[in-house]
Amino acid sequence: QEPQGWSPPPQPTVRKVEERAHPLTPLVRGWFAVVAVAWAMLQERLQGRTDGTDSLPWWVFVAVIGGVAALGLVAGFISWRFTKFIADETELRVESGWISRRSRRISYTRLQSVDVMQPLAARLLGLAEVRIDAGAHDSTKLRYLSRRRAYELRDFLMLRAHGAQVSVDVARAQTSDPLFADLGGSDRVIVTVPPHELLLGAFVSHDLLSLIIGFAVPVAAVWGVATYFGHEAAAAIPVVALAGGVPLLFSIGQYFTRRVMSQFNFTLAETQAGLRITRGLTNLTSQTVPVRRIQSIRLSQPLFWRPLRRYRVDLEVLGLGEATRNESTSKVSTLLLPIGTKKQVDAALAAVWPGLRLDAIRYVRSPRRAAVFDPLSYSWNSFGVDDNVVVTRRGWLTRHQSIVPHARLQSVAAYQGPLERLLGLANVTFHTTGLLHTHAVIHMNADLARTLVYDEADRAMTSRDGELLR
């Protein structure tokens, strides 16, 4: 019983904040339309009309561009004037619309991720976009705030999502405003990927090989036809080689440039709100991944990366969407590490699940008779289990390792095909709530598969109960 006159300590109050986007927002949102119209009009001016008449005079060109710019600025101003967001004790409210008003309310407890994006036009003006994900396809974009203000709002929302009763002013004091990264004073950098590693990964990737083959096959076909038909057709070889070589060089240059620029200064850091990934040169992307929402991790090692001992690491995060296949993307992605050494991979995994040691896990491989189905990869196909995770391995051209915590498993299933039944083999799949490819161990002993299904179901239940108790 509390002593007489005792009262609980006062809880910190969160000051209500109401504000609009940055005044330069209409300029950023309208520049795409202006550039598109200007490009079309410029082509019209330089090439002339298709019906043979004279091209448009310069005053028409300038008037159309000016009119589009003026309309875009007016529409953008109206949208900016009637859009505001309010942050109070329990929720973030976004109000928009001129003729038809709309109000979106997002409770802090429903927040799943808050990311900051800086497209090129916004970046040049020192602005940024805040993307808020509240699950179930419920996402909101705040366009555009000053870069520092976007970071402050992101930090405030993520802290509130974790239950911290902080104000925007407190978040402001903890926020820094770097130009090429997104790091606070208390953040711990785990991995930084230098540009030469990105170039190395792009140079020995399957994508580059596919690009070269795509251009080389037509040239080789023409060369073969010319050789067969004699000297008359041989004159076409230099023309075809030039026609294919110039686009090839341009495509290769664009391929390397986009890969490096999109992943430039890739930094993985540990913050109060979770793991923070920042990357990009012209378009800066900063995304925060709460560790508790990570469902699984997948390590990939393409064929040409194996001698270099390099890996790519993908995350499966609840609500983040499908796995990223294009490493040139500047959008929010599932990449935890675009390329890294074994030491960097271990550091990244330790930031997610401290104490995880893949090398200490004992793996059970597929039997030799599984070579009927996987002649090149049966020795790699395997699985391993420890107290916290189940790991599956599969693949030949690109080797994959899927790491799934027992507590994140939703279901386990085993299945057999007719030929597998004859050989006494079976497959086991592990399902989570994410959208990566199904985690599975293939062509293992059927008796072992049956035991694994029941044992893993028990481990999943025990692990979830343990999390609830903690």
Side-chain angles (χ1 to χ4, degrees), residues 134-200:
H137 307 288
D138 184 9
S139 60
T140 302
K141 299 179 181 179
L142 302 182
R143 297 173 173 169
Y144 288 89
L145 308 175
S146 68
R147 183 175 60 241
R148 181 176 182 84
R149 187 68 181 129
Y151 288 153
E152 291 171 357
L153 181 61
R154 186 272 317 278
D155 292 344
F156 165 74
L157 292 176
M158 292 303 297
L159 289 172
R160 289 306 307 270
H162 283 70
Q165 295 293 320
V166 299
S167 64
V168 177
D169 296 330
V170 172
R172 178 180 294 117
Q174 300 177 358
T175 302
S176 60
D177 185 17
L179 185 59
F180 292 106
D182 180 11
L183 297 172
S186 60
D187 297 346
R188 181 178 69 89
V189 176
I190 301 169
V191 175
T192 299
V193 181
H196 69 266
E197 282 288 313
L198 298 173
L199 285 171
L200 176 64

Side-chain angles (χ1 to χ4, degrees), residues 57 135 149 168 175 178 187 204 212 238 325 328 358 361 379 384 431:
R149 187 68 181 129
V168 177
T175 302
D187 297 346
V204 296
I212 294 175
R325 290 179 172 84
S328 300
L358 292 180
I361 297 177
S379 62
H431 305 96

Side-chain angles (χ1 to χ4, degrees), residues 36 92 101 103 112 136 139 145 164 175 207 270 283 302 401 418 431:
L92 174 72
R101 299 288 292 170
S103 179
Q112 296 186 3
S139 60
L145 308 175
T175 302
D207 296 335
E270 190 176 42
N283 297 283
Q401 296 185 68
H431 305 96

Side-chain angles (χ1 to χ4, degrees), residues 217-241:
V217 168
V219 175
V222 171
W223 179 84
V225 171
T227 302
Y228 180 79
F229 285 101
H231 297 289
E232 294 80 4
I237 296 179
V239 177
V240 175

Side-chain angles (χ1 to χ4, degrees), residues 365-439:
R365 295 182 178 180
S366 298
R368 183 173 295 274
R369 61 183 182 276
V372 174
F373 300 99
D374 307 296
L376 299 176
S377 63
Y378 79 92
S379 62
W380 171 254
N381 296 339
S382 57
F383 77 94
V385 177
D386 70 3
D387 294 337
N388 300 308
V389 300
V390 55
V391 183
T392 62
R393 292 176 170 179
R394 60 186 300 184
W396 170 73
L397 192 61
T398 298
R399 289 181 171 179
H400 297 294
Q401 296 185 68
S402 293
I403 310 169
V404 184
H406 303 310
R408 298 292 176 264
L409 280 177
Q410 298 295 306
S411 65
V412 188
Y415 63 94
Q416 284 180 311
L419 186 56
E420 291 169 330
R421 192 177 301 115
L422 290 175
L423 296 176
L425 302 174
N427 312 289
V428 177
T429 59
F430 305 93
H431 305 96
T432 65
T433 56
L435 294 174
L436 283 179
H437 292 301
T438 302
H439 315 283

